[in-house]
């Protein structure tokens, strides 16, 4: 996993991203390397390196991410469904050390993942 936190730079507007949603707690932007017709990355502004570091204090924050993901899915027209993914560490395929949720949709997605 990269040690550089690119997503923090996006939060701080130090590097550009196609931001589609922002509030006090989180930010959503189009993935730079989309794996489906719709591929949005949703990140908390709080730095949580991996899902392993989630604590009870983060319950409301993670719930908020789900509420925003559902709103975005509606706005993006994903009426046939979508997938939310949180990759954790090496075996999960995580490459950016800032907890994030992928919102994927716009086509049927295979299962199990590779
Ligand atoms: P993960 O592999 O779960 O850590 O997901 C990281 C995701 O961030 C990948 O899908 C990347 O394509 C995406 N990504 C990395 N850098 C950027 C960037 N600067 N702007 C948008 N998406 C990015």
């Amino acid at each position: 996993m990269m040690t550089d936190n690119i997503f923090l730079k996006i939060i701080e507007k130090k590097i550009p991203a196609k931001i589609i949603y922002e509030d006090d707690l989180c930010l959503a932007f189009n993935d730079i390397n989309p794996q489906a017709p719709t591929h949005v990355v949703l990140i908390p502004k709080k730095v949580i390196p991996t899902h392993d570091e989630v604590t009870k204090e983060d319950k409301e924050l993670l719930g908020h991410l789900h509420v925003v993901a559902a709103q975005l899915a509606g706005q993006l027209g994903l009426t046939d469904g979508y997938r939310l993914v949180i990759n954790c560490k090496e075996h999960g395929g995580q490459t950016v050390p800032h907890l994030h949720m992928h919102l994927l949709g716009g086509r049927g997605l295979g299962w199990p993942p590779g």
Side-chain angles (χ1 to χ4, degrees), residues 6-7 10 15 29-33 39 87 93-96 100 102:
I6 298 166
F7 292 170
I10 291 176
I15 61 167
F29 50 88
N30 290 329
D31 197 290
I32 205 169
N33 182 24
H39 187 171
N87 294 325
Q94 183 179 3
T95 57
V96 179
H100 50 282
H102 296 261

Side-chain angles (χ1 to χ4, degrees), residues 3 14 47 51 58 69 86 103 109:
T3 51
K14 288 181 179 162
V47 177
H51 195 268
D58 300 317
I86 296 176
L103 168 61
L109 299 164

Side-chain angles (χ1 to χ4, degrees), residues 60-99:
E60 201 168 320
L61 176 59
L62 293 188
H64 181 68
L65 291 185
H66 278 275
V67 172
V68 171
Q71 283 173 357
L72 290 176
Q75 286 167 18
L76 294 166
L78 303 178
T79 50
D80 291 332
Y82 53 88
R83 185 171 295 166
L84 298 174
V85 175
I86 296 176
N87 294 325
C88 183
K89 298 173 31 181
E90 188 184 348
H91 278 190
Q94 183 179 3
T95 57
V96 179
H98 185 114
L99 185 140

Side-chain angles (χ1 to χ4, degrees), residues 9-70:
K9 291 182 182 147
I10 291 176
I11 292 168
E12 293 167 346
K13 311 283 174 11
K14 288 181 179 162
I15 61 167
K18 289 186 180 158
I19 295 170
I20 61 165
Y21 177 86
E22 180 168 14
D23 63 27
D24 290 348
L25 297 175
C26 71
L27 193 66
F29 50 88
N30 290 329
D31 197 290
I32 205 169
N33 182 24
Q35 301 301 311
T38 297
H39 187 171
V40 170
V41 181
L42 184 52
I43 62 175
K45 290 187 174 175
K46 175 182 176 182
V47 177
I48 303 172
T50 79
H51 195 268
D52 268 357
E53 280 80 39
V54 168
T55 70
K56 284 182 182 172
E57 287 167 17
D58 300 317
K59 280 201 277 189
E60 201 168 320
L61 176 59
L62 293 188
H64 181 68
L65 291 185
H66 278 275
V67 172
V68 171

